[in-house]
Amino acid sequence: MNKLDAGAKGVYLIAVTPFAEDGSLDLHSTDRMVDFYLDHGANGITILGIMGEAEKLTAAEARLFTKRVLTRVNGRVPVVVGASSPGFAPMRELTMSVMEMGASGVMVAPALSVRTDEQILAYFDMVNEILGPDIPWVLQDHPVSTGVKISNDVLIEVLKRSPSCVMLKHEDCPGLGKLSAIRAASARGDIARVSILTGNGGGLFLPEELIRAADGAMTGFAYPEMMVGVCAAHAAGDIEHAYDIFDAYLPLARYEQQPGIGLAVRKHIIAERGAIASPTVRRPGPKLSAADIADIDRLTKRLAKRLISFGLDQG
């Protein structure tokens, strides 16, 4: 097992969950999807996230899917499993189960019922208690999905109290100031340095986040090679090339981030790329119209031309 630690960096792909056209889990496509992510340079894989339709899976399906991913990955990269739950008992049960299977760590977002600063601190104190000192975990800060706004000061205090929290999945927006505040706190010695991987849907602010000392990205996009390329160029010190790569893919990344249909767009494209057999989003979920598909076809064709014109064509 590649146990998650605060030195994690690069691109951890938020995986979709493949379904057959009848809505059942597609485990054969799960293997293809894992290979697709690894072939395109993923440094890690995160499953059962928000865009992984985790809330639509039964407990048995979540374990079956996790086991299949871990088997296919076979220790090549760390695998993080989303364990967020309205209750602490199912959170602990799922965490213990996936860690026994070989997961590298779990990801936890605050419950929807948490609102005040005191409630946020108490919630994560309980997360530390139920997970214990030996399980590394990721704090997911995503107010758009949780409705929980964590201030800079409260987030710093949570990290101070949470020695087993080794990573922040930073996707508050606007959030560049928060990212800088966390890095400043660790530079002062107020908190231990944690890995910061950013979300914000397909890495929409990835170049700027890397400049603010993010360690990489933990998000999804139908073209993971964009995020891998941006992170690699930045790590090599070629900031302008990182922006060139980012700029080439931006129109499609923007289209994929439409509220409501973004997951359907992503699944459609990766199905077209051969990573999964069907673009099915489990019900309740959106379906693309003929006009949506025409938009995507136009954007992907324009992307292919742009990659050549930018000297980025990978064949």
Side-chain angles (χ1 to χ4, degrees):
M1 177 180 65
N2 298 302
K3 207 166 187 181
L4 198 65
D5 62 40
K9 60 184 178 179
V11 178
Y12 281 52
L13 264 298
I14 294 286
V16 301
T17 301
F19 297 109
E21 291 184 3
D22 64 1
S24 61
L25 271 178
D26 183 351
L27 296 179
H28 292 294
S29 282
T30 297
D31 291 343
R32 288 164 56 184
M33 176 192 71
V34 168
D35 293 345
F36 173 79
Y37 290 146
L38 295 181
D39 289 346
H40 284 86
N43 303 104
I45 295 176
T46 302
I47 62 174
L48 303 186
I50 294 166
M51 295 295 272
E53 303 177 78
E55 76 285 354
K56 300 177 188 177
L57 299 179
T58 67
E61 286 176 324
R63 287 170 174 77
L64 181 62
F65 178 64
T66 299
K67 184 67 174 176
R68 188 72 172 224
V69 170
L70 288 167
T71 299
R72 191 67 174 187
V73 170
N74 194 28
R76 287 175 285 176
V77 298
V79 176
V80 177
V81 181
S84 300
S85 172
F88 289 112
M91 180 191 298
R92 178 176 171 78
E93 182 181 41
L94 178 60
T95 296
M96 297 303 130
S97 175
V98 300
M99 293 302 291
E100 287 176 4
M101 292 181 198
S104 302
V106 296
M107 182 170 66
V108 179
L112 302 181
S113 59
V114 174
R115 285 293 177 267
T116 68
D117 291 350
E118 292 75 15
Q119 288 173 336
I120 293 168
L121 290 170
Y123 182 86
F124 285 111
D125 283 345
M126 184 59 70
V127 169
N128 286 316
E129 181 178 329
I130 68 155
L131 297 187
D134 299 323
I135 295 177
W137 61 278
V138 179
L139 193 164
Q140 183 177 16
D141 182 20
H142 190 209
V144 169
S145 64
T146 64
V148 181
K149 188 73 173 179
I150 307 177
S151 71
N152 295 357
D153 290 343
V154 171
L155 182 54
I156 290 167
E157 182 62 25
V158 170
L159 293 173
K160 190 181 298 184
R161 297 184 186 188
S162 307
S164 297
C165 178
V166 298
M167 180 187 292
L168 171 65
K169 185 178 191 295
H170 167 68
E171 43 195 341
D172 197 355
C173 189
L176 292 171
K178 178 180 278 190
L179 201 164
S180 293
I182 299 303
R183 285 297 184 232
S186 60
R188 292 193 304 267
D190 295 344
I191 57 173
R193 191 186 193 281
V194 296
S195 173
I196 299 180
L197 300 187
T198 62
N200 288 320
L204 289 182
F205 303 96
L206 183 56
E208 292 79 16
E209 290 163 338
L210 292 171
I211 289 170
R212 300 283 186 117
D215 296 297
M218 183 187 280
T219 186
F221 182 41
Y223 288 84
E225 59 265 42
M226 179 273 277
M227 295 181 291
V228 171
V230 170
C231 288
H234 188 275
D238 195 344
I239 307 302
E240 290 305 310
H241 187 52
Y243 270 101
D244 286 342
I245 297 169
F246 178 77
D247 291 349
Y249 288 90
L250 183 56
L252 195 54
R254 170 188 61 90
Y255 195 88
E256 193 188 276
Q257 292 313 305
Q258 294 179 86
I261 69 165
L263 178 60
V265 173
R266 184 178 300 170
K267 281 191 157 183
H268 173 83
I269 297 172
I270 65 172
E272 289 291 303
R273 299 190 75 192
I276 56 177
S278 169
T280 300
V281 176
R282 183 175 267 189
R283 293 181 293 183
K287 289 186 177 180
L288 299 180
S289 68
D292 295 329
I293 293 172
D295 287 342
I296 296 166
D297 288 345
R298 183 180 303 110
L299 287 169
T300 53
K301 289 174 182 176
R302 289 178 60 83
L303 171 62
K305 293 178 181 178
R306 198 157 47 247
L307 291 176
I308 294 172
S309 68
F310 280 31
L312 301 169
D313 182 43
Q314 299 176 0

